[in-house]
Amino acid sequence: GATPTAATITPGAGISVTNAAGSITIAVTGGSFTWTTVTGATQNLVAENGYIANRATAITFSVPATAAVGDIYIIEGLGAGLSIIQMNTGQTCHFGANATTSAGTLTATNQYDAITLTCTVANTSFNARGQGNWTLA
């Protein structure tokens, strides 16, 4: 019969491989969001992060000026203060058939409104999907 030859497995993105004597462990890496409860008046958004808005008054979430296609940002409402998402000059966010103006805002209308933003054109265009009613300006 054939004798096996030692080889190295090269995983793709999001996968790790650990070689050991007589075994190989394959695991998924990344793929999970870091969650932060926000109680201050402002918060800069970071890709692949989720935020729980827990403040008695409004929280302004600032979208980063630099974003890669596929970057995702999640905001979940909890506190009585409503979430406001601030776009930068040259950025637009589409929510269904509506869109913000350049440097516009999306504002929650209810305490528990939630939204997910996905960058669809690097640095400039985002799509939103969410729960509740959001006012676009």
Side-chain angles (χ1 to χ4, degrees):
T3 302
T5 304
T8 300
I9 297 173
T10 305
I15 299 173
S16 69
V17 175
T18 304
N19 297 305
S23 71
I24 298 173
T25 302
I26 300 173
V28 175
T29 58
S32 124
F33 275 64
T34 299
W35 286 90
T36 303
T37 298
V38 180
T39 57
T42 62
Q43 176 67 49
N44 292 325
L45 295 177
V46 176
E48 316 319 318
N49 278 257
Y51 302 90
I52 298 169
N54 191 14
R55 189 164 193 259
T57 56
I59 300 172
T60 299
F61 293 90
S62 298
V63 175
T66 302
V69 170
D71 281 354
I72 297 173
Y73 314 85
I74 300 174
I75 299 168
E76 299 283 340
L78 178 62
L82 301 178
S83 299
I84 301 166
I85 301 167
Q86 178 66 60
M87 309 303 290
N88 291 292
T89 300
Q91 291 180 332
T92 304
C93 186
H94 305 272
F95 191 90
N98 300 311
T100 65
T101 58
S102 173
T105 58
L106 296 94
T107 303
T109 58
N110 295 297
Q111 178 176 356
Y112 297 103
D113 286 351
I115 198 162
T116 299
L117 303 179
T118 304
C119 180
T120 54
V121 177
N123 307 326
T124 63
S125 187
F126 299 81
N127 282 3
R129 61 186 176 279
Q131 163 188 315
N133 295 310
W134 291 78
T135 303
L136 280 63

